[in-house]
């Protein structure tokens, strides 16, 4: 369980730091005329991610799950995903946010992982929502939040693409 609490605490701390950065990026962008989209679904994204951590904690602690026998594969995969996450966020710089905030007439970022894939951060989050629960044998959390995230991304990605197309003229689909 020590490994669980360490990993869990580090992830929560990382997410809180990301929210802090996102708030500063939001302020910077809006001061320059950026517009926000997707406000209707954003609370559900927050709820999904909050519920994920509650579910992971509850399932792992209440069921007294141990670390998976595959931890030597899953932990490095998780660390690799964190490196990818940081790469994606740094590639967007001040344009990165947890919300859909678009600066009119700005060019879409096409560096880092964005050279090869349209939504690397969403891919990474989807993989994290699988790898983290599997690492701690939280199979209910794995299935439930993988499915919920797929549903959320079916709303989120088109909303983001539409906002980018309308304000920057970038057609990335």
């Amino acid at each position: 369980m020590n490994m669980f609490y360490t990993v869990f605490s580090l992830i929560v701390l990382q997410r809180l730091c990301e929210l802090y950065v996102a708030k500063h990026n939001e302020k910077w962008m809006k001061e320059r005329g950026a517009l926000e989209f997707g406000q209707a679904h954003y609370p559900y994204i927050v709820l999904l991610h909050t519920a994920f951590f509650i579910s992971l904690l509850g399932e792992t602690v209440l069921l007294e799950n141990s670390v998976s026998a595959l931890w030597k594969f899953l932990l490095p995969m998780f660390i690799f995903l964190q490196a990818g996450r940081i790469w994606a966020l740094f590639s967007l710089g001040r344009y990165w946010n947890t919300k859909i905030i678009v600066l009119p007439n700005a060019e879409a970022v096409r560096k880092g992982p964005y050279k090869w894939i349209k939504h690397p951060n969403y891919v990474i989050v989807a993989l994290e929502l699988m790898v983290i629960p599997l690492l701690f044998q939280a199979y209910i959390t794995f299935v439930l939040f993988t499915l919920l995230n797929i549903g959320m991304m079916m709303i989120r990605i088109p909303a983001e693409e539409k906002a980018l197309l309308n304000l920057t003229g970038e057609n990335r689909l």
Side-chain angles (χ1 to χ4, degrees):
M1 283 304 252
N2 284 340
M3 182 181 186
F4 171 75
Y5 289 119
T6 300
V7 170
F8 185 85
S9 298
L10 288 173
I11 297 169
V12 169
L13 180 62
Q14 178 189 26
R15 297 308 190 267
L16 292 173
C17 289
E18 288 174 4
L19 289 174
Y20 177 80
V21 169
K23 198 65 175 165
H24 282 275
N25 289 350
E26 176 181 359
K27 181 180 179 204
W28 181 84
M29 286 185 69
K30 286 186 174 178
E31 286 171 351
R32 284 151 184 78
L35 302 172
E36 183 176 346
F37 298 86
Q39 296 96 325
H41 74 261
Y42 185 73
Y44 296 104
I45 289 177
V46 173
L47 179 61
L48 183 142
H49 287 274
T50 302
F52 170 78
F53 286 110
I54 293 168
S55 178
L56 178 66
L57 179 65
E59 184 176 357
T60 303
V61 172
L62 293 176
L63 298 180
E64 298 178 0
N65 293 354
S66 59
V67 176
S68 169
L70 299 174
W71 76 270
K72 289 181 182 179
F73 169 75
L74 293 168
L75 186 59
M77 183 183 280
F78 170 73
I79 293 167
F80 176 76
L81 289 170
Q82 296 320 291
R85 180 186 194 88
I86 292 166
W87 187 29
L89 272 55
F90 273 90
S91 294
L92 288 176
R94 289 190 175 244
Y95 295 103
W96 176 79
N97 210 293
T98 58
K99 298 177 180 178
I100 301 173
I101 300 176
V102 181
L103 194 58
N105 301 314
E107 289 187 34
V109 172
R110 300 218 187 269
K111 63 182 181 177
Y114 295 90
K115 277 194 256 185
W116 301 287
I117 187 169
K118 294 176 192 174
H119 300 283
N121 196 50
Y122 295 152
V123 172
I124 290 165
V125 169
L127 292 171
E128 286 175 336
L129 292 176
M130 292 186 266
V131 170
I132 297 166
L134 289 176
L135 181 59
F136 300 105
Q137 300 187 69
Y139 302 118
I140 296 167
T141 300
F142 164 76
V143 171
L144 179 62
F145 287 91
T146 295
L147 294 174
L148 288 172
N149 189 58
I150 290 168
M152 183 56 65
M153 290 302 102
M154 291 174 71
I155 296 167
R156 174 70 173 209
I157 291 173
E160 186 172 316
E161 290 293 336
K162 182 178 177 184
L164 286 168
L165 179 61
N166 288 341
L167 290 183
T168 68
E170 292 281 338
N171 186 358
R172 301 184 325 150
L173 288 177

